[in-house]
Amino acid sequence: MKTIEKWADRVYAENDFGRSMATSIAGLIGLVVYLLSKDWVIAAFASIITFPIIRIFASSFNEKVERNKKRKAEKEELENLYNKLSLDEKNVIESFVKAGGSVLTWTQMNNQDVSSSGVESLIQREILWTSYTADGMRETFVLDSNVFDICNKKMGLTKNS
């Protein structure tokens, strides 16, 4: 009797979605097979055989759902961040989008009609920083690529939703 209680405690304390679903569905399959065949050996084999298959499918489904939730939360967080930016900060970000990339050289940046306070504010927010071109010859301004993507989408310059 103690082993059944331990087993039940373990099953109900389980927090692995794939294992929980596999246990439930394999148990249901075993019960149905038993009720139809009246043979507990066949029912046990049906449960044992189906368990790993169901666990694989349930785990992969759960991972996909969790990934989509995470992406959606990150996207909402970025959109909230973008919506909180000042008009000057948004103008700086939009200048990157209009230029077609998340990196501008100092010369390109100086030719943009943006306020220096917007640039400095984005640097303080760690959305914009300085770097160097790949050849190491020129200093650049680099915009966070996720913020660039959000602004690009808001401005309607991409076809992706």
Side-chain angles (χ1 to χ4, degrees):
M1 191 67 170
K2 289 280 187 191
T3 58
I4 292 175
E5 288 176 8
K6 285 183 181 180
W7 177 83
D9 286 343
R10 183 171 182 208
V11 167
Y12 288 109
E14 185 62 52
N15 59 4
D16 178 0
F17 180 82
R19 186 179 292 163
S20 296
M21 288 302 296
T23 301
S24 300
I25 295 172
L28 183 63
I29 289 171
L31 177 63
V32 169
V33 169
Y34 176 75
L35 292 174
L36 294 175
S37 69
K38 303 291 187 219
D39 187 344
W40 68 269
V41 174
I42 294 173
F45 277 120
S47 291
I48 292 168
I49 291 169
T50 58
F51 177 84
I53 297 167
I54 296 167
R55 183 174 182 195
I56 290 169
F57 284 116
S59 293
S60 65
F61 173 76
N62 187 53
E63 286 174 15
K64 185 177 181 179
V65 168
E66 291 300 318
R67 263 193 321 270
N68 287 339
K69 273 197 245 184
K70 185 178 177 184
R71 281 188 199 123
K72 185 177 179 184
E74 288 172 355
K75 182 180 175 185
E76 286 176 2
E77 185 178 323
L78 283 168
E79 285 182 356
N80 287 337
L81 170 71
Y82 180 80
N83 292 333
K84 290 178 184 178
L85 296 176
S86 72
L87 187 58
D88 285 344
E89 292 169 324
K90 287 180 182 178
N91 286 337
V92 173
I93 294 170
E94 289 172 6
S95 70
F96 279 86
V97 173
K98 288 175 186 172
S102 62
V103 177
L104 293 176
T105 64
W106 276 74
T107 306
Q108 290 171 316
M109 193 64 156
N110 288 334
N111 291 332
Q112 301 295 321
D113 186 26
V114 295
S115 73
S116 59
S117 63
V119 171
E120 287 299 320
S121 179
L122 289 172
I123 290 172
Q124 292 304 311
R125 288 180 183 260
E126 297 180 350
I127 296 172
L128 184 68
W129 55 91
T130 58
S131 184
Y132 290 94
T133 56
D135 60 8
M137 300 299 287
R138 291 181 290 177
E139 211 171 355
T140 60
F141 284 95
V142 180
L143 178 67
D144 182 280
S145 59
N146 293 319
V147 174
F148 175 86
D149 292 340
I150 290 293
C151 184
N152 199 14
K153 182 181 171 195
K154 286 190 176 288
M155 291 177 65
L157 299 177
T158 61
K159 295 176 184 173
N160 297 339
S161 309

